[in-house]
Amino acid sequence: MSVKELFEINQANETVSKYKLLSAYGGPGSIVHTQYGSIIISCIEEWGFLKRVLEIHKEAIDDSENNTDDKVFKYVYKQARLEKNGSIGISNDKRLFESLIDRKKLVNLKYLSLIPDIEIKDFGNKVDNVEFTIPSTFMPKVFADRQNVYKSYGEWLNDWILNNKEKDQYGNKFFPPKKTWKELLTQDNIVLICEHGHISDFPWSQFLWWRKDEPLAIHNDEAVNLFEKNPCCGTKESPTSKIKITSSTANASGFDGKWLKCDNCKKSVSLQGLMGVKIKCPGHSPMEVKTGDNQYYSGDKLVRKQSPPSEICRAKNSLGKDKPMSVALTTGNNLYYSRILSSIFMPDELFKDELEIEKDKLEKRISRHKKNWEDAIDSGDKEDEAYNEKKWIELVAELKTIAENIEPKLELTDSEKEIKFRNQEYKVFSFQSDVDINKEEKDLKVKDVTDNLDLELRKFFSRILRIDNMKITSAQLDFSRVVPADADAEDITSKNIFRNKPEDVNVYPVVENFGEGIFIGFDEKLIDGFASSEAGIILIDGLREKLSDLKKDSNPFNKGAIDYGNLVNWQLYLVHTFSHLIMREMEFRCGYPTASLSERIYVSNDEKYRMYGCMIYTAEGAEGSMGGIIAQTRPNNLNKLIKSALKRATICHSDPLCWESEGQGLFDLNFASCFSCSLVSETSCEHRNVYLDRRILVDDDGGFFKAVL
């Protein structure tokens, strides 16, 4: 878009991929960089298409013909897909649906809604079906002009309206933010982030006053409540500061060479050490602002200058004192860490036992007869009333009997829930027949190709499945800032992508992908035998000793990752490294990069959920999604793929340094593995390219696959 067009439009709309809106790096609360500046995605209560699903649900409830939950769901499912309603899809993944209810306590969740495609018109930058869009607001809300004068969005907007009363008295043409018709404003790139998910603009005026009034306080360990300080001049209610940030002529880089000053009160201070300033969190959460009616553009323009909602931040350090916020750039990779839950679609009967399925059916019948009973009472139909009352009583008694025979559900931790969730998939792929799995072929279709292995390889694997088609549905659980939530760092609390109480959430956004892949299940008996063999014990003890040494020197940031490595242990290294080797081999044999592939690791030593396997798959639109992966499961290809991958792993360009490594990669959790031999694209790996060691697989003296080599 040309600069001229930027000045003429009055709508700040931009297309953002639905896969970016719910990913490991983006979602509600994340900062996205657009042609207009940096924006923060609003919470899901503000997403237009989700509001529309709730409206359709209300229509269904108000329709007297929809007298059961099934009829209401079918009405919403059908109506949401109409073009007038944005062609919104509703997911049928019940396993993911039930897992979200359990993990996030969404007891009144009714629908998993797919993010629709929303297009922008070239003319005027407008959007078709604008009411279905996803609102956002500027973040940071501080902008500078060519003279490096820093003001908030609201202040610049007020100046614009004051100077353009005849041309634009309501500020409708203030997009993108500008000082004059020909001068665009530059957005600040500094924010404050909190480990509890909060984010704030940097309070430059208060910082200047504090640095001049308490020059030595910057060295204190305790966090300063900077947002309660006065501005450098004026009052909190009527500040008069004119903040500027200038660069010095000295040969200094970064903030060491910048000065903060006020043209009004003439105070000035160096920004040296800015990134280490300890500031108390005010609990700001700008993603939770109510963006208002979006009939004309995505949100109320007044929202863009509002202060973010605040809550009491309870981030404390080990001493019980306020944990300071971190100063960060808007391009920093520590601004947003998302937790994603992905589910492979499976028919109900594959992951539920017979009693649970029967219980679900009875609950639906009970609901139907109760509704008919109430309707018969209202209409005065005594015969129908008596019949439905009798059936209701009988079914309730039957449900009670079934419920008594179902084992009570134990309260599990998040990690245990994830293992159980994965184990459902593993058991289906490992033990169910092709016919049972393929009951809904449009969403899941597989073929058992274990017999395609030759005798030399067959003993290592319990099952190989060719997955011709599978549907993968993903939902975002929550997010964190500063430190990844999955690192299990001390005092880290993930923040929800919604602002309401969990019981008030009725609809949740998800994305769907269709892909193909290969499932590989390892023989459990052979793994047990390896652990008890003389050569295997030497390798395993060496790996355990290295992990134990890492645990001794762990810190709050790497503790979770190291503890996980010690818990799942050598079995994770074996399966995970094998998965990487196969992905890398596909680069050589098929010609498409590992970035187009993904892995799904199934490893657990818990007796109840014991599993050792992996899946390598690709999603629609990526290289290899036109049959490239499944072609590797043909008899000749499959054997060559595995053997060639293992032989290639015996040599690394960085050997012997790589082979003899005592720890490399993130947190030193990789051993005989580096970019030259075992690592893949970051987006392809489930474990951030750690827990890798070639020796456990291909060591000459006792590797797991020694017999093949």
Short mmCIF file of all heavy atoms in Angstrom, two decimals, residues 499-525:
data_model
loop_
_atom_site.label_atom_id
_atom_site.label_comp_id
_atom_site.label_asym_id
_atom_site.label_seq_id
_atom_site.Cartn_x
_atom_site.Cartn_y
_atom_site.Cartn_z
N ARG A 499 -11.64 -12.88 29.36
CA ARG A 499 -11.66 -12.03 30.56
C ARG A 499 -12.74 -12.47 31.55
O ARG A 499 -12.70 -12.12 32.72
CB ARG A 499 -11.87 -10.56 30.18
CG ARG A 499 -13.18 -10.25 29.49
CD ARG A 499 -13.46 -8.73 29.43
NE ARG A 499 -14.69 -8.49 28.69
CZ ARG A 499 -14.74 -8.01 27.45
NH1 ARG A 499 -13.62 -7.72 26.82
NH2 ARG A 499 -15.89 -7.84 26.84
N ASN A 500 -13.77 -13.20 31.07
CA ASN A 500 -14.85 -13.64 31.94
C ASN A 500 -14.40 -14.75 32.87
O ASN A 500 -13.32 -15.32 32.70
CB ASN A 500 -16.03 -14.14 31.11
CG ASN A 500 -16.75 -13.01 30.39
OD1 ASN A 500 -16.68 -11.86 30.80
ND2 ASN A 500 -17.44 -13.33 29.32
N LYS A 501 -15.27 -15.09 33.81
CA LYS A 501 -15.03 -16.28 34.62
C LYS A 501 -15.20 -17.50 33.72
O LYS A 501 -16.00 -17.48 32.78
CB LYS A 501 -16.02 -16.34 35.78
CG LYS A 501 -15.85 -15.21 36.79
CD LYS A 501 -16.89 -15.31 37.89
CE LYS A 501 -16.72 -14.19 38.90
NZ LYS A 501 -17.75 -14.24 39.98
N PRO A 502 -14.47 -18.58 33.99
CA PRO A 502 -14.57 -19.77 33.13
C PRO A 502 -15.99 -20.26 32.92
O PRO A 502 -16.35 -20.70 31.82
CB PRO A 502 -13.71 -20.80 33.88
CG PRO A 502 -12.73 -19.99 34.65
CD PRO A 502 -13.46 -18.75 35.06
N GLU A 503 -16.82 -20.17 33.95
CA GLU A 503 -18.20 -20.67 33.82
C GLU A 503 -19.06 -19.81 32.91
O GLU A 503 -20.17 -20.21 32.54
CB GLU A 503 -18.86 -20.80 35.20
CG GLU A 503 -18.93 -19.52 35.99
CD GLU A 503 -17.74 -19.34 36.93
OE1 GLU A 503 -16.66 -19.89 36.64
OE2 GLU A 503 -17.91 -18.63 37.95
N ASP A 504 -18.56 -18.62 32.55
CA ASP A 504 -19.33 -17.74 31.66
C ASP A 504 -18.93 -17.87 30.19
O ASP A 504 -19.47 -17.17 29.34
CB ASP A 504 -19.16 -16.28 32.11
CG ASP A 504 -19.76 -16.01 33.48
OD1 ASP A 504 -20.76 -16.69 33.82
OD2 ASP A 504 -19.24 -15.15 34.22
N VAL A 505 -17.95 -18.71 29.90
CA VAL A 505 -17.49 -18.89 28.52
C VAL A 505 -18.35 -19.97 27.85
O VAL A 505 -18.40 -21.11 28.30
CB VAL A 505 -16.00 -19.30 28.47
CG1 VAL A 505 -15.56 -19.56 27.04
CG2 VAL A 505 -15.14 -18.20 29.09
N ASN A 506 -19.03 -19.60 26.77
CA ASN A 506 -19.93 -20.52 26.06
C ASN A 506 -19.40 -21.00 24.72
O ASN A 506 -19.83 -22.03 24.20
CB ASN A 506 -21.29 -19.86 25.84
CG ASN A 506 -21.95 -19.43 27.13
OD1 ASN A 506 -22.28 -18.27 27.31
ND2 ASN A 506 -22.14 -20.36 28.06
N VAL A 507 -18.47 -20.25 24.13
CA VAL A 507 -17.95 -20.61 22.82
C VAL A 507 -16.45 -20.33 22.81
O VAL A 507 -16.00 -19.34 23.41
CB VAL A 507 -18.69 -19.85 21.70
CG1 VAL A 507 -18.56 -18.35 21.86
CG2 VAL A 507 -18.19 -20.28 20.33
N TYR A 508 -15.68 -21.21 22.15
CA TYR A 508 -14.22 -21.14 22.19
C TYR A 508 -13.68 -21.28 20.77
O TYR A 508 -14.16 -22.11 20.00
CB TYR A 508 -13.70 -22.28 23.05
CG TYR A 508 -12.42 -22.00 23.79
CD1 TYR A 508 -12.43 -21.34 25.02
CD2 TYR A 508 -11.19 -22.41 23.28
CE1 TYR A 508 -11.25 -21.11 25.72
CE2 TYR A 508 -10.01 -22.19 23.96
CZ TYR A 508 -10.04 -21.53 25.19
OH TYR A 508 -8.87 -21.29 25.88
N PRO A 509 -12.68 -20.47 20.39
CA PRO A 509 -12.16 -20.54 19.02
C PRO A 509 -11.15 -21.67 18.83
O PRO A 509 -10.34 -21.95 19.72
CB PRO A 509 -11.48 -19.18 18.85
CG PRO A 509 -11.02 -18.82 20.23
CD PRO A 509 -12.05 -19.39 21.17
N VAL A 510 -11.20 -22.32 17.68
CA VAL A 510 -10.24 -23.37 17.33
C VAL A 510 -9.89 -23.25 15.85
O VAL A 510 -10.57 -22.54 15.10
CB VAL A 510 -10.81 -24.78 17.61
CG1 VAL A 510 -11.08 -24.98 19.09
CG2 VAL A 510 -12.06 -25.05 16.79
N VAL A 511 -8.83 -23.92 15.45
CA VAL A 511 -8.48 -24.01 14.03
C VAL A 511 -8.34 -25.48 13.65
O VAL A 511 -7.94 -26.31 14.47
CB VAL A 511 -7.17 -23.26 13.69
CG1 VAL A 511 -7.35 -21.77 13.83
CG2 VAL A 511 -6.02 -23.74 14.56
N GLU A 512 -8.70 -25.78 12.42
CA GLU A 512 -8.62 -27.15 11.91
C GLU A 512 -7.61 -27.25 10.79
O GLU A 512 -7.47 -26.34 9.98
CB GLU A 512 -9.98 -27.62 11.38
CG GLU A 512 -10.93 -28.13 12.42
CD GLU A 512 -12.22 -28.66 11.81
OE1 GLU A 512 -12.35 -28.60 10.56
OE2 GLU A 512 -13.08 -29.13 12.55
N ASN A 513 -6.90 -28.38 10.77
CA ASN A 513 -5.98 -28.71 9.68
C ASN A 513 -6.23 -30.15 9.27
O ASN A 513 -6.58 -30.99 10.11
CB ASN A 513 -4.53 -28.59 10.16
CG ASN A 513 -3.94 -27.24 9.84
OD1 ASN A 513 -4.08 -26.75 8.73
ND2 ASN A 513 -3.28 -26.63 10.81
N PHE A 514 -6.07 -30.42 8.00
CA PHE A 514 -6.11 -31.80 7.53
C PHE A 514 -4.72 -32.17 7.05
O PHE A 514 -4.04 -31.37 6.41
CB PHE A 514 -7.13 -31.97 6.41
CG PHE A 514 -8.55 -31.96 6.90
CD1 PHE A 514 -9.23 -30.77 7.06
CD2 PHE A 514 -9.20 -33.14 7.22
CE1 PHE A 514 -10.54 -30.75 7.52
CE2 PHE A 514 -10.50 -33.14 7.68
CZ PHE A 514 -11.18 -31.94 7.83
N GLY A 515 -4.29 -33.39 7.39
CA GLY A 515 -2.95 -33.79 7.01
C GLY A 515 -2.84 -35.27 6.77
O GLY A 515 -3.83 -36.01 6.78
N GLU A 516 -1.62 -35.71 6.54
CA GLU A 516 -1.31 -37.12 6.34
C GLU A 516 -0.02 -37.41 7.07
O GLU A 516 0.74 -36.49 7.40
CB GLU A 516 -1.13 -37.43 4.85
CG GLU A 516 0.02 -36.64 4.22
CD GLU A 516 0.17 -36.92 2.74
OE1 GLU A 516 -0.78 -36.69 2.00
OE2 GLU A 516 1.27 -37.36 2.35
N GLY A 517 0.24 -38.68 7.36
CA GLY A 517 1.46 -38.96 8.11
C GLY A 517 1.74 -40.43 8.29
O GLY A 517 1.11 -41.30 7.68
N ILE A 518 2.70 -40.71 9.15
CA ILE A 518 3.10 -42.07 9.50
C ILE A 518 3.14 -42.17 11.02
O ILE A 518 3.76 -41.34 11.70
CB ILE A 518 4.50 -42.42 8.95
CG1 ILE A 518 4.58 -42.21 7.45
CG2 ILE A 518 4.88 -43.85 9.30
CD1 ILE A 518 5.98 -42.40 6.88
N PHE A 519 2.48 -43.19 11.56
CA PHE A 519 2.57 -43.48 13.00
C PHE A 519 3.51 -44.66 13.18
O PHE A 519 3.40 -45.68 12.49
CB PHE A 519 1.20 -43.82 13.57
CG PHE A 519 1.26 -44.38 14.97
CD1 PHE A 519 1.41 -43.54 16.06
CD2 PHE A 519 1.21 -45.75 15.20
CE1 PHE A 519 1.50 -44.05 17.35
CE2 PHE A 519 1.30 -46.28 16.48
CZ PHE A 519 1.44 -45.42 17.57
N ILE A 520 4.44 -44.53 14.13
CA ILE A 520 5.42 -45.58 14.40
C ILE A 520 5.37 -45.92 15.88
O ILE A 520 5.66 -45.08 16.73
CB ILE A 520 6.84 -45.13 14.01
CG1 ILE A 520 6.89 -44.74 12.52
CG2 ILE A 520 7.86 -46.22 14.32
CD1 ILE A 520 8.17 -44.07 12.11
N GLY A 521 4.97 -47.17 16.19
CA GLY A 521 4.93 -47.62 17.58
C GLY A 521 6.07 -48.58 17.86
O GLY A 521 6.29 -49.54 17.11
N PHE A 522 6.82 -48.34 18.93
CA PHE A 522 7.96 -49.19 19.28
C PHE A 522 7.50 -50.39 20.09
O PHE A 522 6.52 -50.32 20.84
CB PHE A 522 8.99 -48.39 20.09
CG PHE A 522 9.82 -47.45 19.27
CD1 PHE A 522 9.32 -46.22 18.87
CD2 PHE A 522 11.11 -47.79 18.90
CE1 PHE A 522 10.07 -45.35 18.11
CE2 PHE A 522 11.88 -46.93 18.15
CZ PHE A 522 11.36 -45.71 17.75
N ASP A 523 8.21 -51.48 19.97
CA ASP A 523 7.91 -52.69 20.72
C ASP A 523 8.34 -52.50 22.18
O ASP A 523 9.52 -52.31 22.47
CB ASP A 523 8.65 -53.88 20.10
CG ASP A 523 8.23 -55.20 20.72
OD1 ASP A 523 8.70 -55.50 21.84
OD2 ASP A 523 7.43 -55.93 20.10
N GLU A 524 7.37 -52.56 23.11
CA GLU A 524 7.65 -52.31 24.52
C GLU A 524 8.58 -53.36 25.12
O GLU A 524 9.45 -53.05 25.94
CB GLU A 524 6.35 -52.25 25.32
CG GLU A 524 5.50 -51.03 25.01
CD GLU A 524 4.26 -50.96 25.88
OE1 GLU A 524 4.18 -51.73 26.87
OE2 GLU A 524 3.37 -50.14 25.58
N LYS A 525 8.40 -54.61 24.72
CA LYS A 525 9.24 -55.68 25.26
C LYS A 525 10.70 -55.48 24.87
O LYS A 525 11.62 -55.75 25.66
CB LYS A 525 8.74 -57.04 24.78
CG LYS A 525 7.39 -57.44 25.36
CD LYS A 525 6.97 -58.82 24.86
CE LYS A 525 5.63 -59.23 25.45
NZ LYS A 525 5.17 -60.56 24.96
#
